[in-house]
Amino acid sequence: MYIHEKDNWTDFHWDTSQVSLLQEDVFRKQGLLYGRLGSLGFDSKLKAMAENLTHDVVYSSEIEGIKLNVDQVRSSIARRLGIENVKYTAPSHYVDSVVNVMLDAVQHYDQPLSKEKLCAWQAAFFPTGFSEGSQIEIGQYRTNEEHIVSGLFGREKIHYIAPPPDRVEEEMQKFLTWFDNQDSVSSVIRSAIAHFWFVSIHPFEDGNGRLARILSDMLLARGEKSEFRFYNVSSQINKDKNHYYDILERMQHGDGDITEWLVWYMQKLVDALDEAETIVTTILNKSFFWQKASSVPMTERQTQMLNLFLDGYEAKITSKTWASLAKCSKDTAIRDIQDLVEKNILIEDIPGAKRPSYSIVCDTEDLSQFFTDVNIVEENGIPYLKAMYKGRKPVSERILKLDAERYQKGDLPLTNLLNKYCSYITQNN
């Protein structure tokens, strides 16, 4: 028996004792993130939002097995947000369509949700009218039975059968009325409920998962009263999508108790907020670097390469890596690097090393004099730089695994590590 076969099936309930602490953690991390964003200028906020939306669009599609070109998505979003200095890669018509849906949802989060809008968004995902080589119904609610299956032809396993098509209109009208009305439940819980409720109705022949995640984002935006989106749950779901489908299936066979779904969903929000903190730190450090280096003459290639590493590209800066990424000869890469060393933009990690590597100089001061109790701590498989700044401010910065390994091996000096991740802290403190 499926959940929608029960009377009053959308009277969802949950164990408040299991949900409330996680919800408070989400609220706390939201507050910390938006507090840090207060120090960013408008242009930097736009860049942070663009990077987040890029991840959101790419990973939400990837959950459904659709691989999008990251550079095309980033270019499409940058163009629509009016962001300059982004390496342009002409997006396909399909990428532009998907990006348009996401931006329409987040920039008009406070507008009523309607059947017409949902149908237009679903049609945008399938501009040819085909999905995986098969023609599908687009721009309208489905008129066929919808079975969620897996496995090879002839040996399929049915995970869920959605409400019959003659019920979809009524079920969706109830959903839309709830979506646009306020109640006493927080936006975080409403976001999770909307996601589960929508995919359980499964109103369209295809595209339901992506629309459910967009609707979740809309309700979070309404709760924050902001069109700026700096974190997304799609990237976290993509990392754990087997669990995602398993929980949805259990809940869709349940009695309306969605405690397990709410707990899992909010844990993913916590992870998403942690990842957003990393994006903000990267942008703050990058902004701090260019404020200091704005008057230093550089070639376009040098600028592009520095931006690549400032954006968190996970590799050592060496002449070999530089040549490969910049598509230039190794001799040209060596000249580029030596020029930047002479201009105090790059510094050797280990002077005189046989195979030298370099770090970007965000701050010319030796930052190790300001930080104490520095150590690398791993949490859920992710390395963090933990320290005290000037003996009074605790610091916790997510760092690349490569940098953690290099620091612990003695291949990356402490001052270079701090320079890369903590320069922005000295700007206003």
Side-chain angles (χ1 to χ4, degrees), residues 150-156:
S150 66
L152 298 174
F153 180 73
R155 300 179 62 183
E156 300 97 337

Side-chain angles (χ1 to χ4, degrees), residues 13 53 65 69 105 131 154 340:
H13 54 279
L53 292 181
N69 182 292
S131 174
L340 294 174

Side-chain angles (χ1 to χ4, degrees), residues 386-402:
K386 304 276 188 178
M388 287 295 292
Y389 176 66
K390 292 186 175 179
R392 54 182 169 78
K393 181 178 180 179
V395 173
S396 177
E397 296 292 350
R398 183 173 175 172
I399 66 175
L400 297 177
K401 284 191 175 183
L402 176 63

Side-chain angles (χ1 to χ4, degrees), residues 180-368:
D180 283 328
N181 282 286
Q182 296 295 324
D183 59 30
S184 58
V185 179
S186 74
S187 61
V188 170
I189 291 179
R190 281 174 60 80
S191 169
I193 291 174
H195 191 130
F196 176 72
W197 189 344
F198 187 85
V199 294
S200 295
I201 298 173
H202 228 76
F204 297 104
E205 192 170 351
D206 204 348
N208 297 285
R210 279 172 284 175
L211 286 171
R213 290 183 286 276
I214 285 171
L215 297 179
S216 296
D217 277 340
M218 279 188 74
L219 286 178
L220 289 170
R222 285 186 184 182
E224 295 161 10
K225 294 182 171 57
S226 173
E227 66 185 49
F228 283 97
R229 304 303 307 143
F230 299 109
Y231 63 96
N232 73 85
V233 74
S234 295
S235 59
Q236 303 307 317
I237 291 175
N238 191 53
K239 294 175 185 176
D240 196 17
K241 57 186 172 186
N242 288 338
H243 203 179
Y244 168 63
Y245 290 124
D246 288 346
I247 293 173
L248 286 177
E249 184 176 350
R250 281 197 293 277
M251 298 299 98
Q252 287 166 339
H253 285 79
D255 61 0
D257 183 341
I258 56 170
T259 303
E260 184 184 4
W261 166 251
L262 292 180
V263 167
W264 185 85
Y265 182 86
M266 283 191 278
Q267 285 171 337
K268 296 302 141 187
L269 278 183
V270 167
D271 293 341
L273 285 158
D274 285 341
E275 194 159 281
E277 287 272 355
T278 305
I279 292 174
V280 173
T281 293
T282 299
I283 288 172
L284 285 167
N285 279 321
K286 183 177 177 180
S287 175
F288 182 58
F289 168 79
W290 284 115
Q291 284 175 28
K292 296 232 173 186
S294 60
S295 61
V296 178
M298 300 182 206
T299 66
E300 183 179 352
R301 182 175 58 246
Q302 287 173 322
T303 300
Q304 287 178 350
M305 290 300 296
L306 289 171
N307 277 328
L308 181 65
F309 285 105
L310 287 165
D311 286 336
Y313 186 80
E314 190 159 7
K316 291 193 289 187
I317 302 178
T318 64
S319 55
K320 182 179 179 181
T321 305
W322 190 285
S324 174
L325 294 171
K327 295 181 172 56
C328 65
S329 69
K330 191 172 180 181
D331 285 344
T332 298
I334 290 171
R335 283 195 296 272
D336 279 350
I337 290 171
Q338 287 306 313
D339 177 59
L340 294 174
V341 169
E342 290 167 10
K343 292 171 177 174
N344 207 23
I345 296 297
L346 293 178
I347 187 172
E348 274 194 78
D349 290 322
I350 307 296
K354 187 176 180 181
R355 294 184 178 85
S357 63
Y358 303 84
S359 290
I360 297 173
V361 180
C362 292
D363 196 324
T364 54
E365 281 197 273
D366 180 358
L367 299 188
S368 61

